[in-house]
Amino acid sequence: MSKISAFLYDVLHSGKEPEKLLWDNKRIIIINFIILVSTPVFFFFTYLNIQHGLMLFALSNIINIVLLFIAFFYFRLKRNINHVSTIILIILLITYFTTIFQGGIANTGFFWFFYFPLFAIMLKGHKIGSYWIFSLLMVIAGVYLFQIYRPLTLPYDPILLVVLFISLGIETVIAIFLESVRLKYDKRLQEFNTDLKTKVALEVQENRKKDELLRQQSKMAAMGEMTNYIAHQWKQPLSTISAIVQNLHIQEDLGILKHTTIIEEFQKIETQIAHMSQTMIDFNNFTKPDQPKEDFNIAAVIQESADMISPLLTSKGIALHLEIYNDTSSVFGQRNLLTHVLLNLINNAKDALLSQNIKGAKVVIRLDKTGKELEVSDNGEGVDPSIKETLFEAYTGTKGDQNGGVGLHMCKRIVEDTFNGTLTLEKSTKGARFVIHF
């Protein structure tokens, strides 16, 4: 049944998607419906005419059938409503004139007269449709006047002509009234659609502003965490430099300081300063607002993120393990945003492990062999089941109203919007397991 429905839909819409204008969509369906209904009717009357030896009338019906096929295929190719409407009205005119001259078996075709005003107004509009109706009346009147001078055998007497004119006049008034109602309805509908589009556009703009605010909040929170990372990154180098300087002072006071020792110690200081400088470069890259999208190595970003946060994790007694099974896989997007996501996920794991007092706490970052699945997991107690359904909604993450909610919400948005991937919380035998699918 679904295949039949799909076929009828395709036929009635001329095999193409609907246009933007609502009434044009309806006119397309109406025209195709007329074609589908009229074609078998004309075939039937052609058969009857041939059976009764009315070959002239059979020929007119065949002409109408050919015009219907032309209209059908022309509609599917060109989709020109006005041209096809004209063909439909010409077919109706041919039918009417055939009915005028034909009696007997064809009398049933007379009812088509009363549909002409409706079709003319509906397909051509008030003005053009009225011209078609007026032209039909004038031609009919001309035929009856012509028979005064030239004897014609018409099946209808003059009184029927008067009835026909009155009936068509009434039908025309009704058709114009219905068209006016339709125009009024369509105008209101278009105004409603316009208002709806405006409201949707404003709502989308508001949502974008909210998303940008959430992104900024998440970024600021992450920058606060980054400051903490830098403090831990610099703690060891500063201690080393301080120890080197003190050692140089002691050797100088003792009078045993050698030039080679100074050079060696200065080289150590330069190494530590270079390490501190690289930390600032990493921080600067992370905070750049408009990094270009590019193909970058996923394993390199994992290593950089681990280097930034590992001193902090170590100071908290948390081990960080990297399991990279594909060190050549790349993804297209903004490099610093993936760093943002990883740091958020690792930081959430850190906070969970500390709050749960887990012994032997560890965080694992794993990139599978395909390079398309990036996992951040821990060995904590896992996520509270009561918040799993709303975990990635704003302000409803693992930390409630704190940054956890914003962080996880923005992580999901970043993965979906920037990397065209997904971020999900997947089942795990122990702890939380967040997986990014690129």
Side-chain angles (χ1 to χ4, degrees):
M1 190 64 185
S2 59
K3 291 183 178 180
I4 296 174
S5 300
F7 173 75
L8 289 175
Y9 179 90
D10 179 76
V11 171
L12 291 176
H13 289 82
S14 293
K16 295 185 179 180
E17 290 299 317
E19 300 288 346
K20 293 181 180 179
L21 297 177
L22 180 64
W23 180 238
D24 280 352
N25 295 336
K26 291 181 179 177
R27 286 204 293 173
I28 290 168
I29 296 174
I30 291 168
I31 290 172
N32 280 310
F33 182 76
I34 291 172
I35 293 171
L36 290 176
V37 171
S38 301
T39 303
V41 170
F42 281 122
F43 269 113
F44 176 71
F45 279 108
T46 301
Y47 169 76
L48 292 180
N49 286 325
I50 292 174
Q51 289 292 316
H52 290 79
L54 303 172
M55 302 308 296
L56 181 62
F57 304 125
L59 179 61
S60 69
N61 287 332
I62 292 173
I63 292 172
N64 286 337
I65 292 170
V66 172
L67 288 175
L68 285 170
F69 275 101
I70 291 172
F72 180 76
F73 289 107
Y74 178 80
F75 209 0
R76 294 180 75 85
L77 293 174
K78 298 295 184 180
R79 195 64 173 277
N80 191 309
I81 295 175
N82 289 328
H83 291 173
V84 178
S85 304
T86 301
I87 295 175
I88 296 296
L89 293 178
I90 289 172
I91 292 170
L92 289 175
L93 287 177
I94 293 174
T95 304
Y96 299 158
F97 294 138
T98 302
T99 306
I100 289 174
F101 288 96
Q102 185 177 3
I105 195 68
N107 279 340
T108 53
F110 193 78
F111 79 95
W112 286 102
F113 274 110
F114 301 103
Y115 287 94
F116 188 82
L118 184 62
F119 287 144
I121 298 297
M122 180 176 58
L123 297 178
K124 290 293 187 179
H126 281 150
K127 187 175 180 180
I128 305 299
S130 298
Y131 290 159
W132 276 85
I133 297 168
F134 181 76
S135 299
L136 172 64
L137 295 175
M138 291 302 98
V139 172
I140 293 173
V143 170
Y144 275 89
L145 291 175
F146 181 76
Q147 70 176 335
I148 297 175
Y149 303 99
R150 295 294 181 98
L152 295 173
T153 304
L154 298 177
Y156 311 114
D157 54 33
I159 190 64
L160 186 58
L161 178 64
V162 176
V163 174
L164 178 62
F165 270 57
I166 294 173
S167 301
L168 288 177
I170 295 172
E171 291 288 337
T172 301
V173 171
I174 294 173
I176 291 174
F177 171 75
L178 292 175
E179 179 69 5
S180 300
V181 173
R182 197 273 304 168
L183 288 173
K184 186 177 180 180
Y185 167 78
D186 270 12
K187 184 179 179 181
R188 288 183 179 178
L189 187 60
Q190 288 177 2
E191 290 174 352
F192 173 78
N193 287 337
T194 302
D195 291 342
L196 185 61
K197 286 180 181 178
T198 303
K199 290 179 181 178
V200 169
L202 290 174
E203 190 66 27
V204 169
Q205 189 175 3
E206 284 295 318
N207 287 336
R208 285 177 179 172
K209 288 181 180 179
K210 291 177 183 178
D211 285 345
E212 187 59 35
L213 179 61
L214 289 175
R215 190 184 293 269
Q216 188 64 23
Q217 290 177 355
S218 179
K219 193 76 171 180
M220 293 302 294
M223 287 176 66
E225 291 290 344
M226 283 294 294
T227 305
N228 201 16
Y229 304 155
I230 291 172
H232 281 82
Q233 288 276 25
W234 281 14
K235 185 176 181 180
Q236 182 62 37
L238 287 173
S239 298
T240 302
I241 292 172
S242 178
I244 291 172
V245 172
Q246 288 178 9
N247 186 42
L248 289 175
H249 276 300
I250 293 172
Q251 291 189 42
E252 184 182 16
D253 291 341
L254 294 175
I256 59 174
L257 182 62
K258 297 180 181 179
H259 180 69
T260 53
T261 302
I262 294 175
I263 294 175
E264 290 174 358
E265 296 302 312
F266 276 5
Q267 287 177 345
K268 292 179 181 178
I269 291 173
E270 287 177 355
T271 300
Q272 297 302 321
I273 291 173
H275 177 69
M276 294 169 69
S277 176
Q278 184 60 46
T279 301
M280 289 306 301
I281 291 172
D282 293 340
F283 177 77
N284 186 48
N285 288 334
F286 174 74
T287 56
K288 281 181 181 178
D290 297 316
Q291 279 197 357
K293 287 189 175 184
E294 59 182 355
D295 283 309
F296 60 87
N297 185 273
I298 299 174
V301 172
I302 294 173
Q303 189 61 58
E304 290 169 7
S305 302
D307 290 341
M308 278 190 275
I309 201 170
S310 58
L312 176 60
L313 296 180
T314 301
S315 69
K316 303 293 184 181
I318 300 173
L320 178 62
H321 298 287
L322 303 184
E323 298 178 2
I324 300 175
Y325 298 103
N326 186 329
D327 58 3
T328 61
S329 179
S330 63
V331 66
F332 182 78
Q334 289 173 272
R335 186 188 190 98
N336 65 336
L337 290 183
L338 183 57
T339 303
H340 185 174
V341 171
L342 285 174
L343 292 178
N344 261 295
L345 295 177
I346 297 169
N347 192 58
N348 280 348
K350 176 205 72 176
D351 291 343
L353 292 169
L354 292 176
S355 66
Q356 296 163 5
N357 295 317
I358 302 298
K359 293 182 179 180
K362 67 176 179 179
V363 176
V364 178
I365 305 176
R366 180 180 179 275
L367 182 64
D368 73 347
K369 292 181 180 180
T370 66
K372 299 299 181 183
E373 185 176 287
L374 176 57
E375 173 189 317
V376 178
S377 60
D378 61 64
N379 62 339
E381 297 175 359
V383 178
D384 186 348
S386 64
I387 64 170
K388 280 187 177 181
E389 295 297 325
T390 58
L391 186 64
F392 293 103
E393 295 179 9
Y395 303 110
T396 57
T398 56
K399 304 176 192 175
D401 294 337
Q402 301 176 27
N403 178 53
V406 176
L408 285 176
H409 173 73
M410 288 314 304
C411 285
K412 185 174 179 67
R413 294 298 301 272
I414 288 170
V415 171
E416 291 176 350
D417 298 342
T418 305
F419 301 106
N420 195 29
T422 59
L423 172 60
T424 56
L425 173 66
E426 300 194 359
K427 291 182 179 180
S428 176
T429 54
K430 189 174 184 182
R433 179 170 171 258
F434 291 90
V435 180
I436 299 171
H437 294 277
F438 292 110

